[in-house]
Amino acid sequence: MAMAMASVQLERQTSIQDSPRSPEAKLGMQVEDLWDVQEPELSPNEKLNACFESIPVSAFPISPQGIEIKSDASLAEAVQILAQNKILSAPVVDVDAPEDATWMDRYIGIVEFAGIAVWILQQSEPSSPRSPSSPNGAEFAITANGMVSAAGLGALGPEDASITSGDFFEALTSSEFYKNTKVRDISGSFRWAPFLALQKSNTFLTMLLLLSKYKMKSIPVLDLGDGKIDNIITQSAVIHMLAECTGLHWFESWGSKKLSEIGLPTMSPEHIITVYEDEPVLQAFKLMRKKRIGGIPVIECGGKKATGNISLRDVQFLLTAPDIYRDYRSITAKNFLIAVRNYLEKHEKRSPMLSGMITCKRDETVKELIQKLDSEKIQRVYVTDEDGNLEGVITLRDIISRLVHEPRGYFGDFFDGVLPLPENSRV
């Protein structure tokens, strides 16, 4: 048995040497080798848990972007950095931290488009000045709010569409206030969840559980030696890894199952958060932030069919290209989608926004869905019936959560001392 196992491993090693394989595929081969030596009485799910518990997160391929944002960068600079590097978030380095600072003192958190969106939403609140052209009034409002509360996410209706008139964001992004506000000034908008980080010795299972059950979108991996972030693992990176494992036994045994077999989608149609075409686009972003979701379908007026999707990452188009809305009396969800698609086509930029509404059916396999998510570089897929009506939504987190399960008492005191840990936090 031992000789046979050694022979199998030798064949695999030879195969890897003979044909170029991605780092993610090589990682999948590690799982494969571990899969083959698990106790036969274990269920497939228990085998996967055991495999991922045996691999340290240091084995995960290093993200090509080692992007960090300084705490004294302006919001305008932070937005440009995120947009140009095509990333959703980046660690914020405290420029006032000493050279020998620990990682907890070196970093103040991770800023993302969602955090900057909160700042914009605060500017659009009826209680705030509706035009950023009055910096004194805006400064007063922000000072009063303390720049730390995202709680006042009131609902906007069609009658309030004037708040998001076509020139609103152009005026906002050209204002000195926007250009001079520092990332550290809005730290309250992105420190609403604890800044958790893993050490290189932590396991894949820990990482997968944090990205799924505990709803973290990205996890920094620390090098404790120099107190700096060595890697950032995202939900998208995990899905890409899974897509690269096509053909491996452990993946095929799981990925060949239909979505309905593994309990997806988990959400019923009546619980899907939606926005109608004629509602202000800010309503979509407000709902996403309030409900803590990453995307929202745009529904045709008076119907049930989705005509498009708006995600939190799309707030960048309000900030990096505000002039494309100049001719609109109001920026409704429909107008937003049209303007952004026209802008992307004109500038020949690749974006999930150009793919339209990506959907799937309940009888598709997990593997098919993973390949779709990875190739389209999207965060969610909407499940529709034969008539195109919405039946559910499946996110990256949903898929990862079906890959592993949390053993009883697994985390122990892992979360003890994690600060800040606000009420109703994600972890």
Side-chain angles (χ1 to χ4, degrees):
M1 174 68 180
M3 291 183 62
M5 186 64 214
S7 174
V8 170
Q9 291 182 338
L10 180 61
E11 288 177 12
R12 286 177 183 155
Q13 290 171 359
T14 303
S15 174
I16 290 175
Q17 292 170 354
D18 291 345
S19 60
R21 304 208 46 151
S22 69
E24 292 81 7
K26 291 180 180 179
L27 186 55
M29 294 295 292
Q30 283 187 249
V31 179
E32 185 88 333
D33 290 337
L34 289 166
W35 172 274
D36 288 335
V37 297
Q38 297 302 314
E39 296 295 332
E41 63 268 17
L42 294 178
S43 68
N45 192 250
E46 290 172 328
K47 281 187 177 183
L48 280 178
N49 254 40
C51 291
F52 290 127
E53 179 65 5
S54 301
I55 302 176
V57 291
S58 58
F60 200 91
I62 299 294
S63 170
Q65 301 105 343
I67 306 299
E68 295 182 340
I69 295 176
K70 294 182 178 180
S71 60
D72 62 352
S74 69
L75 291 188
E77 291 169 336
V79 166
Q80 287 299 327
I81 290 171
L82 294 173
Q84 289 172 2
N85 289 281
K86 298 180 180 180
I87 53 179
L88 299 180
S89 60
V92 178
V93 179
D94 187 351
V95 296
D96 297 322
E99 284 286 331
D100 59 350
T102 64
W103 71 268
M104 293 188 73
D105 293 325
R106 175 179 169 80
Y107 298 99
I108 66 172
I110 292 183
V111 69
E112 52 188 17
F113 277 124
I116 297 174
V118 167
W119 178 82
I120 293 172
L121 297 181
Q122 288 174 326
Q123 310 317 296
S124 69
E125 291 297 275
S127 59
S128 302
R130 296 196 175 188
S131 171
S133 60
S134 306
N136 291 336
E139 287 170 359
F140 176 80
I142 295 302
T143 302
N145 289 337
M147 291 298 288
V148 298
S149 175
L153 301 182
L156 283 173
E159 70 278 3
D160 296 308
S162 59
I163 295 176
T164 47
S165 59
D167 60 356
F168 177 85
F169 288 96
E170 191 168 14
L172 172 66
T173 54
S174 63
S175 69
E176 289 302 311
F177 184 62
Y178 174 72
K179 295 175 183 177
N180 293 333
T181 300
K182 306 300 182 184
V183 171
R184 63 186 169 210
D185 296 333
I186 69 161
S187 62
S189 68
F190 60 84
R191 296 196 75 175
W192 59 283
F195 180 50
L196 281 176
L198 295 179
Q199 299 179 31
K200 289 184 175 183
S201 58
N202 285 122
T203 70
F204 254 61
L205 180 59
T206 299
M207 176 264 291
L208 292 172
L209 288 171
L210 289 175
L211 289 175
S212 55
K213 180 176 179 179
Y214 291 92
K215 304 181 181 181
M216 295 183 69
K217 294 186 180 299
S218 62
I219 303 176
V221 179
L222 291 166
D223 183 336
L224 292 182
D226 59 12
K228 295 182 179 179
I229 292 175
D230 183 66
N231 194 12
I232 295 181
I233 303 176
T234 64
Q235 292 175 345
S236 297
V238 170
I239 293 299
H240 177 62
M241 182 206 80
L242 293 175
E244 290 290 295
C245 293
T246 298
L248 296 176
H249 176 63
W250 70 267
F251 177 77
E252 293 294 336
S253 68
W254 175 70
S256 61
K257 296 179 180 179
K258 292 184 179 181
L259 297 174
S260 55
E261 290 182 66
I262 63 170
L264 294 178
T266 60
M267 187 179 296
S268 57
E270 60 270 19
H271 290 119
I272 300 176
I273 308 299
T274 64
V275 66
Y276 287 104
E277 288 181 323
D278 61 348
E279 291 187 90
V281 71
L282 273 189
Q283 173 68 353
F285 291 116
K286 281 177 178 283
L287 283 171
M288 282 185 265
R289 185 60 181 181
K290 185 176 183 179
K291 301 294 184 179
R292 295 181 181 178
I293 54 178
I296 194 167
V298 179
I299 306 297
E300 62 183 4
C301 295
K304 295 182 179 179
K305 292 184 173 64
T307 59
N309 174 73
I310 297 176
S311 67
L312 270 177
R313 77 165 74 189
D314 298 329
V315 75
Q316 65 180 289
F317 296 112
L318 294 175
L319 303 174
T320 59
D323 55 304
I324 66 178
Y325 314 103
R326 186 181 300 154
D327 296 332
Y328 288 103
R329 183 182 63 82
S330 65
I331 311 176
T332 62
K334 180 178 181 179
N335 289 343
F336 176 78
L337 290 174
I338 293 172
V340 171
R341 286 169 183 164
N342 290 340
Y343 168 80
L344 292 170
E345 290 172 353
K346 179 180 178 181
H347 292 80
E348 298 181 348
K349 293 188 177 184
R350 189 174 182 271
S351 169
M353 290 282 280
L354 289 176
S355 301
M357 194 71 178
I358 306 297
T359 63
C360 71
K361 299 290 191 294
R362 289 178 182 268
D363 60 356
E364 290 187 25
T365 66
V366 176
K367 179 171 73 172
E368 289 171 335
L369 181 58
I370 286 174
Q371 291 172 335
K372 185 178 295 186
L373 287 163
D374 184 51
S375 63
E376 296 289 346
K377 306 302 178 190
I378 52 179
Q379 307 288 309
R380 65 196 50 76
V381 164
Y382 294 99
V383 183
T384 60
D385 60 19
E386 295 302 324
D387 296 322
N389 297 315
L390 280 181
E391 283 196 330
V393 58
I394 301 175
T395 65
L396 305 185
R397 182 175 73 85
D398 293 332
I399 295 174
I400 299 172
S401 70
R402 292 300 187 272
L403 182 65
V404 293
H405 67 275
E406 181 179 351
R408 188 179 185 85
Y410 179 77
F411 279 103
D413 60 359
F414 181 85
F415 298 117
D416 289 357
V418 174
L419 295 173
L421 189 58
E423 185 180 357
N424 298 322
S425 67
R426 292 181 296 179
V427 178

